[in-house]
Amino acid sequence: VIGTVHDIAERIQNERARDEFLAAASHDLKNPLTVIRGQAHRPRSRVALEERVESARLAPGLASIDRAAEEMQSQIDELVDVAGPGMGQGLDLLRSTVDLAALVAERTAALRQASPRHHIRIAEAAPGLTGEWDRVRLGRVLDNLLGNAIKYSPDGGAVTVRAPRQDDLAGDWALLTVRDQGVGVPAKDLPHVFERFHLGANVGGIAGTGSGPAGARQIVAQHGGTIAVASQEGTGSLFTVRLQLAPPAEAPRPGLVQEPALGVSP
């Protein structure tokens, strides 16, 4: 019993030290990233105003600096999110009304610029896909799924995004699917895709931490949705996210007057 208590106390202490390290590291890394983005933004603003040959040459490089810094900040936030739920902590979601189709268009356009070799297309985006979601974190799920589709399709290829509506007895749902033609997931790795820091046996020298799918699952689950994957090695992968849509507001029926409750003055 004494040994068990000692082991638990030591583990709690180690987990607290890990959380403190992650918090400090994320804070320390975000500060220089903010400076980098700020310094890149100033010349970008000047380049946009000046129509010169030098300006045209500088613009793509400055945009790349800004995108790289933004991606690094997103990865830092992702690692902190993934580590927190491992301790049984939930995410602090900042919910607002989000249009999923608009978010898909925004994030897809950004990744097209970053990966011109890949053909990223939106095959379907139903109108009215709105819900009370955390826009930043849902954008991170999109970036993760699209980013992995690009990363694991090293020779280029098509990445297809769909955002249809699904109605069933449980309510109205927004679906988000991302299909790629990349290396796929080996059968033995498929049950572990959403485990923290798990990498498939066939990724070779492709850089990655394996934290992305786990982070995406945590975000989707805390929104009350589901995420699933279907894949076959050598033929690509299909990721499917399911999120509940906001119920439509009921308009008052004309001519209907609600009677006051008994004993209560109108």
Side-chain angles (χ1 to χ4, degrees):
V1 171
I2 293 173
T4 301
V5 170
H6 177 74
D7 180 64
I8 293 173
E10 185 177 357
R11 186 164 57 178
I12 291 174
Q13 185 177 1
N14 290 337
E15 288 171 344
R16 284 177 179 169
R18 181 198 63 187
D19 287 351
E20 290 173 1
F21 168 77
L22 283 171
S26 64
H27 179 270
D28 292 344
L29 289 171
K30 283 181 181 180
N31 284 340
L33 284 175
T34 303
V35 174
I36 292 171
R37 296 192 67 184
Q39 293 298 320
H41 180 72
R42 291 179 185 175
R44 282 187 72 188
S45 300
R46 290 189 60 183
V47 165
L49 295 174
E50 298 177 4
E51 296 182 359
R52 299 179 183 175
V53 176
E54 294 82 359
S55 298
R57 290 174 180 172
L58 286 172
L62 293 171
S64 296
I65 292 172
D66 194 28
R67 283 197 302 269
E70 183 179 3
E71 183 179 350
M72 287 178 66
Q73 183 166 332
S74 178
Q75 289 175 356
I76 292 168
D77 292 338
E78 183 178 282
L79 283 172
V80 173
D81 275 358
V82 170
M87 292 285 295
Q89 303 166 1
L91 304 175
D92 294 326
L93 298 181
L94 184 61
R95 293 179 182 265
S96 63
T97 302
V98 178
D99 185 331
L100 182 61
L103 187 60
V104 167
E106 174 191 312
R107 302 316 304 160
T108 301
L111 284 169
R112 280 197 193 107
Q113 291 183 353
S115 303
R117 288 176 53 248
H118 293 80
H119 179 56
I120 308 171
R121 71 184 188 98
I122 302 173
E124 181 181 2
L129 295 179
T130 58
E132 295 299 313
W133 304 314
D134 186 320
R135 179 181 175 83
V136 172
R137 286 194 167 95
L138 199 57
R140 195 182 303 161
V141 171
L142 261 168
D143 287 348
N144 195 291
L145 297 181
L146 290 169
N148 278 351
I150 292 168
K151 182 192 300 184
Y152 296 115
S153 303
D155 297 326
V159 176
T160 305
V161 186
R162 295 181 183 274
R165 176 189 292 268
Q166 182 185 68
D167 301 329
D168 58 25
L169 295 177
D172 297 335
W173 302 84
L175 296 187
L176 172 65
T177 68
V178 176
R179 181 187 292 277
D180 66 66
Q181 299 172 334
V183 299
V185 181
K188 65 178 183 179
D189 288 314
L190 204 54
H192 308 288
V193 166
F194 298 107
E195 293 179 4
R196 291 193 300 163
F197 311 122
H198 180 83
L199 291 171
N202 63 333
V203 298
I206 302 174
T209 63
S211 64
R217 181 186 64 173
Q218 172 63 19
I219 292 170
V220 171
Q222 201 157 327
H223 278 87
T226 61
I227 184 170
V229 59
S231 185
Q232 187 173 358
E233 189 172 8
T235 62
S237 302
L238 171 66
F239 283 83
T240 303
V241 174
R242 192 169 182 256
L243 296 165
Q244 189 154 28
L245 293 168
E250 288 190 13
R253 285 178 286 174
L256 180 63
V257 178
Q258 185 175 1
E259 293 293 334
L262 294 177
V264 180
S265 299

